[in-house]
Amino acid sequence: MAFQVPQGSEAQESIMPSQPAIAMETGFRAYLTEVRQKALAQGVTAATLDRVLPSISYNERVVRLDRAQPEGAADAPIPNFAPYKARHVDASRITRGRAKYTELRPLLARIEAETGVPEEMMIAIYGHETNYGTVTGNYNAPEALASLAYEGRRRALFEAELIAVLKMIDRGVPQYAITGSWAGALGKPQFLPSVYLRLARDGDGDGYADIWKSEVDAMTSIANYFVNAGWRRGEEWGFAVNVPATLDRRAIQSRMTAPRCPRVFSRHSQWKTIAEWRQLGVVPQRGFWPKDSMLATLIEPDGQGQTAYLLGGNYRVILDYNCSNFYALSVGLLADEVRN
């Protein structure tokens, strides 16, 4: 029989919804009514909306997780890269990456031949995003995105993603596919719904881009993302270098302000050819250079006197996937370790 709480008891009062919670849910339901109209205007069917929207509730946990994210204030100190690298390019991730690389090699070789995106780069993204598919998230994506949109700090972003995931459902994406991270990222590559709609690709010919269960589709989709972001076939992402103490940093400082992620790009030097970097006394730690005409920028993520990196145009493609120097550097370094 059902558990019953005595009338008027303290236990009953503790499980009754609080007035703020009731008000929040009321406001949330009113907001979903607005979303319904916007989604209808964008072609989502009423049947899908009537099935999905009444089934979700305001999720306070995802809002708390979002508020806990570092804001990255312009004047906040930037930590050294070395501790991050030690956590994300560690022996376990390298070993598992090499095993996955070997397992998927025939598939990866085909995708690289078609797209120009290196096999090891797909694996490195896979490893960083979901630890090779083992951690993809278990949040209901419509509920998470609706809660974050309703909270309001980044409503334009999350509302657009909410409508995008409703479009996915409307087009027949199954129930298991709409679970993901607390921020709505989905599947093995952790695509936001709008990215899935634009760039997910069917790699095995079954007519469905299943980035949740199919590694073929996931790797094909990652490669397609990179191609769309401008990956240059045959050009490396970057490499570690030693910088002479005599280098005049002020002379090579970039004078451009990036419209996107300005704090990330402000750490990059001016673009120079490899030949020019050689003339400035920069030395590759691996002992050899790419072609002299390749353009690269310099970053010293652990300060002067420590390992620095020359970064090519393809590094900017990794940044397009996740606009963080630490992320992009560790993806490139993991890719190198997987291949070597």
Side-chain angles (χ1 to χ4, degrees), residues 38 53 93 95 117 144 223 245 335:
K38 294 178 182 179
L53 295 183
R93 204 179 300 250
T95 300
V117 178

Side-chain angles (χ1 to χ4, degrees), residues 205-262:
D206 66 356
Y208 169 45
D210 189 349
I211 63 170
W212 298 268
K213 293 186 176 181
S214 169
E215 289 184 318
V216 180
D217 291 358
M219 298 304 105
T220 303
S221 297
I222 290 171
N224 189 56
Y225 186 106
F226 272 43
V227 170
N228 183 265
W231 186 267
R232 302 175 186 178
R233 182 186 292 266
E235 185 174 300
E236 57 191 302
W237 69 271
F239 52 96
V241 296
N242 294 328
V243 179
T246 55
L247 182 69
D248 185 351
R249 271 78 175 179
R250 288 178 297 179
I252 64 170
Q253 184 176 356
S254 176
R255 297 176 178 84
M256 300 178 64
T257 301
R260 176 175 176 262
C261 308

Side-chain angles (χ1 to χ4, degrees), residues 70-80 263-264 266-267 326:
E71 293 295 328
D75 58 350
I78 299 175
N80 285 338
R263 197 174 190 219
V264 170
S266 68
R267 304 193 70 193
F326 285 11

